[in-house]
Amino acid sequence: MIHVISIAPTEGGWRVSVDDAALPGLFASGAEAERAAQAVAERFAARRAPVKLDVQLPDGTRAARFVSAPGPVRQGSPILWRDPLARAIQPA
């Protein structure tokens, strides 16, 4: 099963959800939410669980998608991949 982590704008900030369950708390900026979501994604990846992390902009369009497939992680290689065509998230 692939775990889906998403970051989306909400009233007053940003919300992070994992497999459709919201993490507790609200983040003031997209950057804070992205750091929290990446930490969760890295924990899944360390357990060799496949992960997809989706980040939305305030208008609802996708800003980035990170993907981690299970398998050996070589030292010095990134765990997550960032779409080079994606735009960065903006603060709320």
Side-chain angles (χ1 to χ4, degrees):
M1 173 183 147
I2 187 165
H3 295 282
V4 179
I5 303 169
S6 60
I7 302 169
T10 187
E11 188 175 324
W14 295 82
R15 175 82 55 205
V16 175
S17 61
V18 180
D19 297 327
D20 293 327
L23 291 181
L26 185 65
F27 297 90
S29 73
E32 288 177 88
E34 188 173 356
R35 281 191 296 274
Q38 284 179 334
V40 172
E42 287 172 357
R43 286 195 294 272
F44 280 129
R47 293 188 302 198
R48 299 176 53 115
V51 177
K52 179 174 74 169
L53 172 59
D54 285 320
V55 182
Q56 291 181 7
L57 292 172
D59 66 4
T61 60
R62 183 175 38 213
R65 173 176 280 169
F66 300 84
V67 177
S68 172
V73 176
R74 292 181 286 289
Q75 183 147 356
S77 67
I79 293 176
L80 301 173
W81 174 83
R82 183 178 190 116
D83 182 346
L85 301 176
R87 297 177 284 170
I89 12 180
Q90 301 297 315

